[in-house]
Amino acid sequence: MSLPAVQILQPRDVPLGGVRAMNVRRTLPHRERPLVGAWCFVDHYGPDTVGRGNEGGMDVAPHPHTGLSTVSWLFEGEIEHRDAAGVIGPVRPGEMNLMTSGHGISHSEVSTSNTTILHGVQLWVTLSLADRDGPRDFQHHTPEARPLDENGSTARVFIGELPNVDRSPVSTFSPLLGAQLDLAPGARIELEVDPVFEHAVLLDSGAVTVEGAALPVAGLGVLDPGRATLELEAGQEGARLILLGGEPFEEEVIMWWNFLGATHEEIVEAREQWQRREARFGHVPGYVGEVEWLPAPPMPRTRLKPRTRYLPEAPPAS
Ligand code: MN
């Protein structure tokens, strides 16, 4: 049996945030692929120079989420997360912030004055319909760098498990994998993976082939289930990668702006509740910016369709 080739998803540039948008490179959702496991959103940004007064940095005013978890992971810089549950969570390189919205949350994300270069990823995980109205949650984890070979290649597993490498203590609502891989120059790694999972490899810097396919920078190489190993080969400058995986997510979920829900009506209701600043999303204490909160864009004239359709008219805020 021959497995299908690696699916390469090219990134697209998207402005992020409100008044002073920074540009990110987005690969999920993608017209050709809405999800990889329960991972439903992948943004890669930087390295961006950040000047005095956070010029060129991240400043995303309070905005809502429903039905998902967000992962913040940095290569350089520092971001301060504040949310309506009262969490003030800085995140630095090698540390993970995992926020779960439950039924509803709002948060802000601002690069701090310690930041001169901002460089990282933001990832979202869809919750199953059974879990989406649960409580809010926040977890922070700093994984160890575990060796992958004798030449200095390492893995930092922030979510899930890489067999014989490391396992993260972070709890998730569905089986997932998330890790940073740093491959030494010329490294050739045969990585043991869960054959039930779909996988995606994001190239941050350097050069790499996945199962023989070269990845573009900030692009994703996606692999269907059925593989017990992933073969990675770094170029002469080495490679920094993010590896994602998860069981195929079979439920139909609608994703629009920053909301995930089961039906068009649920999304409309969440939007109206946010616009009216209702208690469902709470209040983010201590955010100071040019706007107090990010209003939702208008709903499209057509009914929202489930996850198989990408809706470019309402790009997520972050
Ligand atoms: Mn957000």
Side-chain angles (χ1 to χ4, degrees), residues 111-284:
S111 42
T112 70
S113 57
N114 298 329
T115 301
T116 53
I117 302 286
L118 190 60
H119 187 184
V121 291
Q122 172 148 175
L123 315 166
W124 294 357
V125 180
T126 178
L127 299 179
S128 72
L129 298 181
D131 294 325
R132 75 185 191 283
D133 289 326
R136 297 166 178 167
D137 189 39
F138 185 85
Q139 297 176 72
H140 184 86
H141 179 53
T142 306
E144 298 283 332
R146 305 286 187 192
L148 289 175
D149 63 12
E150 309 289 310
N151 302 317
S153 301
T154 60
R156 290 175 169 84
V157 180
F158 48 83
I159 282 182
E161 181 174 12
L162 272 179
N164 305 313
V165 178
D166 199 12
R167 184 177 177 280
S168 167
V170 167
S171 60
T172 58
F173 288 89
S174 61
L176 288 173
L177 170 65
Q180 175 179 327
L181 308 182
D182 290 272
L183 304 191
R188 219 179 143 154
I189 308 282
E190 194 168 276
L191 206 58
E192 197 182 325
V193 293
D194 189 331
V196 171
F197 279 14
E198 302 172 331
H199 289 93
V201 179
L202 178 135
L203 175 62
D204 166 66
S205 55
V208 74
T209 62
V210 180
E211 297 289 332
L215 297 190
V217 170
L220 274 190
V222 181
L223 302 108
D224 286 326
R227 294 169 195 271
T229 59
L230 284 185
E231 194 172 294
L232 305 170
E233 190 167 349
Q236 285 315 304
E237 66 272 58
R240 181 158 59 193
L241 313 172
I242 295 290
L243 171 64
L244 304 176
E247 288 184 5
F249 190 83
E250 304 291 353
E251 290 179 341
E252 294 208 323
V253 172
I254 294 176
M255 179 172 164
W256 181 82
W257 195 45
N258 298 307
F259 302 128
L260 266 67
T263 63
H264 174 89
E265 287 71 24
E266 276 187 19
I267 302 287
V268 169
E269 182 183 38
R271 182 188 176 281
E272 288 174 355
Q273 288 170 334
W274 173 248
Q275 295 301 87
R276 291 195 297 259
R277 313 291 287 115
E278 290 188 9
R280 175 176 181 177
F281 297 105
H283 172 73
V284 181

